[in-house]
């Protein structure tokens, strides 16, 4: 909006500006001019009053709605991970994102492109920093972005035999490293892998502990800080 | 001269807006480096704003959520390309707006909700009922507006953007924003309950 100081402005021009006087986003010059006009315009003052009530009603309406942003965020990351499983990065990953391609490409391509190698390396570096004892594994991960594509899920057609007795878990994003370590330790589990880029940890019963996996799983599921916990399903052996 | 209490008593277009943008710029820089936590923080910070205005636009949260995630996936991968030529909020809302328009076109979901005042003409006397009634009236009244007018109202009164910022988001001249707002105000004036109606006036 231009403010031509000194130029006569009409009543209509004043009416046009009223919504942005009400929401507090006029420039200082526009606000001063409009307030001078309103000082002499009863109709304008009534409009300001009416628009203030409209704005309040619209904003009050909003207070009745509850959203779940964390759940939506997890959904987005699940989509990214699912996309990566379908289209492993080493099988022709679309890296054109870094060259500034059209953002209106289909969503699948975007999700593929959303995980260039440098993101994996950044994720790995941050995890090493929190000292979870996974530095060796994560360095390997940083050098091998393909690995996530081989990540197992319950729906995966095949699982690796050495995953028997393990648990896959996702913790609340607000859980600190210290809390996470305490949860795992108190459940007599140990972290054997993760987190994946979507925050999935792979846990196993601590060596020497005679603890059924089902018990550990139950404890995890009772903990409100654990968003998700499931056993890693053993591979189907098929017919003999 | 009269003094009008505006917005949330914040400095109009001033330090508060600048400070918020600086904070978001720092987050965006971390997102460009692949910092997932920064991305999550930005996501959560924008989710409510986007959910509200996209739900209004698309008439449903499930579609709004799809558009939010579509929008934020663009933010994730394009963060490094952001050059600061606009506010971060303007950039993100602009992406969401264009995504929403595409979604509406694709879904042919831009039909307006029919507004049937019926027996609700009589104003409620109970405050709780009255709030609910006004909520319903506002929802219906906004839904009756053409998409572009509805968006200008939402971006002005819910999101709290300036006329110039809205013009940037909607990729149109500032005067077009003013005109859309003007017509929206006229339509809302007649759609709201009698005791909530705003003053008549201004140009024809």
């Amino acid at each position: 909006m231009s403010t031509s100081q000194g130029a006569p402005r009409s009543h209509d021009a004043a009416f046009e500006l009223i919504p942005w006087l009400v929401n507090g986003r006029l420039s200082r010059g526009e606000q001063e001019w409009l307030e001078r006009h309103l000082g002499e315009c009863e109709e304008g003052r009534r409009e300001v009053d009416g628009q203030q009530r409209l704005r309040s009603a619209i904003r009050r309406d909003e207070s009745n709605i509850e959203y779940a942003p964390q759940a939506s965020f997890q959904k987005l990351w699940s989509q990214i991970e699912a996309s990566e499983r379908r289209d492993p990065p080493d099988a022709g990953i679309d890296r054109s994102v870094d060259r500034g391609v059209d953002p209106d490409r289909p969503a699948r391509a975007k999700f593929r492109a959303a995980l260039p190698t440098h993101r994996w390396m950044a994720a790995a570096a941050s995890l090493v920093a929190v000292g979870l004892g996974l530095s060796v594994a994560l360095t390997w991960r940083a050098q091998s972005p393909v690995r996530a594509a081989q990540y197992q899920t319950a729906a995966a057609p095949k699982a690796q035999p050495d995953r028997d007795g393990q648990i896959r878990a996702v913790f609340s994003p607000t859980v600190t490293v210290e809390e996470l370590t305490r949860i795992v330790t108190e459940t007599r589990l140990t972290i054997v892998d993760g987190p994946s880029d979507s925050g999935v940890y792979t846990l196993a019963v601590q060596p020497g502990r005679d603890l059924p996996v089902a018990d550990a799983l139950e404890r995890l599921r009772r903990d409100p800080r654990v968003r998700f916990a499931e056993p890693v399903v053993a591979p189907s052996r098929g017919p003999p | 001269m009269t003094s009008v209490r505006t917005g949330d008593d914040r400095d109009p277009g001033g330090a508060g807006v600048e400070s918020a943008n600086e904070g978001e710029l720092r987050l965006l820089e971390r997102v460009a480096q692949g910092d997932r936590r920064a991305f999550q923080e930005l996501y959560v910070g924008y989710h409510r704003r986007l959910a509200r205005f996209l739900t209004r636009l698309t008439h449903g949260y499930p579609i709004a959520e799809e558009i939010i995630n579509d929008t934020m996936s663009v933010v994730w991968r394009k963060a490094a390309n952001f050059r600061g030529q606009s506010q971060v909020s303007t950039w993100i809302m602009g992406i969401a707006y264009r995504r929403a328009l595409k979604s509406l076109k694709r879904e042919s979901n831009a039909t307006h909700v029919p507004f049937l005042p019926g027996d609700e003409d009589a104003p409620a006397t109970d405050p709780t009922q009255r709030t609910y009634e006004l909520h319903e009236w506002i929802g219906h009244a906004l839904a009756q507006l053409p998409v572009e007018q509805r968006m200008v109202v939402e971006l002005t009164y819910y999101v709290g953007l300036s006329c110039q910022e809205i013009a940037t988001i909607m990729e149109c001249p500032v005067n077009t924003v003013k005109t859309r707002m003007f017509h929206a105000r006229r339509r809302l004036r007649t759609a709201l309950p009698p005791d909530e109606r705003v003053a008549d006036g201004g140009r024809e």
Side-chain angles (χ1 to χ4, degrees):
Chain A
M1 275 175 286
S2 63
T3 305
S4 50
Q5 299 289 350
R9 301 179 73 162
S10 68
H11 174 78
D12 288 352
F15 254 71
E16 283 181 342
L17 292 179
I18 283 173
W20 292 281
L21 176 74
V22 167
N23 83 350
R25 295 303 307 276
L26 285 184
S27 70
R28 191 167 301 280
E30 285 170 327
Q31 182 169 338
E32 288 174 359
W33 174 81
L34 183 52
E35 287 183 349
R36 276 199 300 276
H37 176 86
L38 292 174
E40 302 166 353
C41 179
E42 185 184 345
E43 188 182 31
R45 290 196 297 274
R46 283 204 308 273
E47 177 71 358
V48 169
D49 180 58
Q51 291 302 313
Q52 283 175 329
R53 281 188 284 124
L54 177 62
R55 177 177 179 272
S56 296
I58 287 173
R59 294 175 70 85
R60 191 165 63 231
D61 174 27
E62 185 266 348
S63 66
N64 296 327
I65 306 169
E66 289 297 330
Y67 299 108
Q70 298 290 358
S72 296
F73 181 79
Q74 291 300 331
K75 192 181 290 184
L76 173 60
W77 277 97
S78 296
Q79 287 175 313
I80 290 172
E81 191 179 53
S83 176
E84 192 185 59
R85 275 200 300 272
R86 281 192 302 273
D87 303 299
D90 65 334
I93 186 171
D94 181 1
R95 297 186 186 281
S96 54
V97 59
D98 293 330
R99 298 193 297 272
V101 297
D102 175 16
D104 294 334
R105 288 180 302 144
R108 295 285 178 261
K110 282 183 298 187
F111 290 138
R112 261 204 325 272
L115 292 169
T117 305
H118 78 272
R119 294 198 190 278
W120 284 95
M121 296 182 75
S126 65
L127 287 166
V128 169
V130 299
L132 287 175
L134 294 171
S135 57
V136 174
L138 289 167
T139 302
W140 176 69
R141 174 192 298 281
Q143 294 166 350
S144 308
V146 183
R147 190 165 182 276
Q150 301 166 340
Y151 214 85
Q152 280 188 300
T153 69
K158 290 187 176 182
Q160 296 167 15
D162 64 359
R163 290 289 174 105
D164 281 352
Q166 294 184 348
I167 294 170
R168 188 181 298 109
V170 175
F171 297 88
S172 166
T174 59
V175 169
T176 64
V177 173
E178 290 76 16
E179 281 181 303
L180 191 150
T181 306
R182 195 159 51 244
I183 294 167
V184 171
T185 305
E186 287 174 354
T187 322
R188 284 177 253 169
L189 295 170
T190 184
I191 299 170
V192 296
D193 201 0
S196 73
D197 210 51
S198 55
V200 180
Y201 287 83
T202 303
L203 312 174
V205 175
Q206 291 172 3
R209 298 272 189 178
D210 186 18
L211 176 72
V213 172
D215 288 359
L217 195 60
E218 185 59 32
R219 287 192 194 192
L220 285 175
R221 285 174 173 167
R222 280 201 304 264
D223 193 316
R225 295 165 296 181
V226 179
R227 285 286 177 84
F228 164 87
E230 70 166 12
V232 176
V233 179
S236 170
R237 305 290 181 195
Chain B
M1 181 170 172
T2 185
S3 179
V4 180
R5 290 170 66 84
T6 56
D8 295 317
D9 292 333
R10 63 188 174 199
D11 178 18
V17 175
E18 290 303 320
S19 173
N21 189 55
E22 284 173 16
E24 290 178 353
L25 269 176
R26 282 194 291 274
L27 270 183
L28 204 58
E29 284 170 6
R30 289 168 54 198
V31 171
Q33 297 298 315
D35 186 332
R36 182 194 156 177
R37 288 194 183 280
F39 181 54
Q40 189 165 2
E41 192 176 332
L42 193 69
Y43 182 99
V44 171
Y46 269 89
H47 185 276
R48 192 175 185 83
R49 270 182 283 181
L50 290 172
R52 161 61 192 261
F53 107 90
L54 290 172
T55 300
R56 281 274 198 225
L57 191 63
T58 60
H59 304 303
Y61 178 68
I63 297 173
E65 189 187 37
E66 278 182 25
I67 299 169
I68 291 169
N69 282 0
D70 197 19
T71 299
M72 294 307 290
S73 72
V74 174
V75 171
W76 168 252
R77 74 185 169 85
K78 303 290 279 186
N81 294 350
F82 182 72
R83 295 287 176 262
Q85 292 172 335
S86 66
Q87 305 261 345
V88 174
S89 60
T90 308
W91 180 57
I92 294 176
M93 299 297 275
I95 297 170
Y97 174 68
R98 288 186 291 278
R99 299 272 150 180
L101 288 186
K102 284 194 174 186
S103 173
L104 283 173
K105 192 174 179 181
R106 194 167 54 243
E107 303 292 335
S108 301
N109 196 24
T111 51
H112 300 147
V113 175
F115 180 55
L116 302 170
D119 296 333
E120 293 84 16
D121 283 344
T125 50
D126 172 58
T128 309
Q129 185 186 351
R130 183 183 159 78
T131 302
Y132 179 75
E133 183 190 67
L134 184 60
H135 162 87
E136 292 292 295
W137 276 94
I138 291 286
H140 283 301
L142 286 170
Q144 281 189 302
L145 298 177
V147 168
E148 290 81 7
Q149 292 179 23
R150 199 185 324 156
M151 287 314 303
V152 173
V153 174
E154 287 284 342
L155 292 173
T156 301
Y157 284 153
Y158 177 68
V159 184
L161 299 182
S162 72
C163 195
Q164 179 61 61
E165 288 168 339
I166 296 169
T168 303
I169 287 169
M170 301 183 81
E171 298 179 323
C172 67
V174 164
N175 280 339
T176 302
V177 174
K178 290 180 184 174
T179 301
R180 286 173 178 167
M181 187 61 165
F182 179 82
H183 289 299
R185 286 156 65 192
R186 288 190 64 181
R187 284 172 180 248
L188 290 173
R189 189 176 298 137
T190 55
L192 290 174
D195 56 345
E196 295 291 342
R197 284 177 192 166
V198 299
D200 204 354
R203 70 188 179 192
E204 282 302 316

